[in-house]
Amino acid sequence: MAHHLIAALIPATATVHTIDAHLIRPMRLLARHLPIDGYRLGGQVTGAWDPSYQPHADPRNWRTCDTCRGTTRVGDTACPGCADTLVAGRRPGTVALWDYTDWAPYPGDIVALPRLLHPGWRFPPGRTPVAWVDAAGVVWLDTTHAVPAGTDTGATPPRLLHVFRDLLHEHRIPDPTAAPTRRMPRPVDWAVHQRRHPGRPWRPRNRFNPTDWSVAVIDAHS
């Protein structure tokens, strides 16, 4: 099974509890370009953009040991199933879930868009996304071979920088169905509009505000 790290633009109001509803539309667009059979927030790359997070150290991903049922003993000997609790820093009598499908969703996999727009932003090594997806479509970032080859520097890919510029300059509309914000055009906007579309009435639209958006770390598998 192949796994693909996808960056998905979602509303800033999205949480780990509501993320599924926000992903339906952009991931449907991704499925038109990539034959995927499933996806989830984080998944196999849970904590990808937060090097301080380790799924196995998260108490939400611990379960009572089946071998000793949490007693830490099997007869007169220490339980071999959870003998590493002290070294791993877990509660006695617990084991870590190793299957990523059982991991609890991590809030850190929803990152505020302004963080990615900051000039100093770097993706952790090997964690640069292979594609960007929003309601406007899919952009492949030409990073597919860099990650396995070990040449991924973490710098924002040029194609992703282009996406950011288009968003900020409103050349890319992440939510075409949103109701437009009624505002009077600036004189320069009106002049350009009249030159490009003589006689066509002004149609206001939403101004793009980065603080209204977040980016989700998505594991899409095919």
Side-chain angles (χ1 to χ4, degrees), residues 170 173 175 178-181 183 204-208:
E170 299 183 343
I173 310 301
D175 189 1
T181 300
R183 64 178 179 88
R205 66 185 179 191
N206 280 324
R207 302 291 292 192
F208 182 79

Side-chain angles (χ1 to χ4, degrees), residues 8-35:
L9 187 68
I10 57 175
T13 55
T15 69
V16 294
H17 304 293
T18 64
I19 185 69
D20 290 343
H22 295 292
L23 290 177
I24 292 175
R25 186 175 178 187
M27 298 308 289
R28 184 179 296 149
L29 293 175
L30 178 69
R32 296 177 183 175
H33 301 268
L34 179 70

Side-chain angles (χ1 to χ4, degrees), residues 34 45 101 107 186 199 204 221:
L34 179 70
V45 291
T101 61
R186 295 177 301 171
H221 43 88

Side-chain angles (χ1 to χ4, degrees), residues 48-215:
W49 297 347
D50 181 3
S52 68
Y53 178 79
Q54 297 297 325
H56 302 124
D58 188 335
R60 299 178 304 159
N61 296 328
W62 301 347
R63 296 293 183 270
T64 300
C65 176
D66 288 336
T67 303
C68 67
R69 299 193 180 278
T71 66
T72 73
R73 308 288 295 180
V74 177
D76 296 329
T77 62
C79 175
C82 58
D84 66 335
T85 53
L86 184 61
V87 174
R90 296 193 314 275
R91 290 191 304 272
T94 62
V95 295
L97 297 173
W98 290 97
D99 189 339
Y100 70 90
T101 61
D102 293 326
W103 291 346
Y106 176 49
D109 285 333
I110 299 177
V111 181
L113 177 60
R115 287 187 58 194
L116 273 68
L117 296 176
H118 191 280
W121 170 266
R122 289 292 184 274
F123 294 102
R127 297 305 194 185
T128 301
V130 298
W132 169 276
V133 60
D134 56 31
V138 180
V139 178
W140 295 100
L141 304 178
D142 198 25
T143 58
T144 304
H145 301 294
V147 173
T151 57
D152 176 20
T153 65
T156 303
R159 292 186 180 181
L160 185 53
L161 289 174
H162 192 276
V163 169
F164 290 162
R165 285 193 295 268
D166 282 350
L167 287 170
L168 293 172
H169 295 140
E170 299 183 343
H171 297 153
R172 183 181 184 89
I173 310 301
D175 189 1
T177 64
T181 300
R182 293 293 172 183
R183 64 178 179 88
M184 292 301 296
R186 295 177 301 171
V188 63
D189 291 338
W190 178 250
V192 170
H193 176 78
Q194 287 294 85
R195 185 168 62 252
R196 293 179 177 175
H197 311 288
R200 183 181 300 179
W202 174 265
R203 297 185 182 277
R205 66 185 179 191
N206 280 324
R207 302 291 292 192
F208 182 79
N209 185 347
T211 61
D212 291 338
W213 300 91
S214 292
V215 182

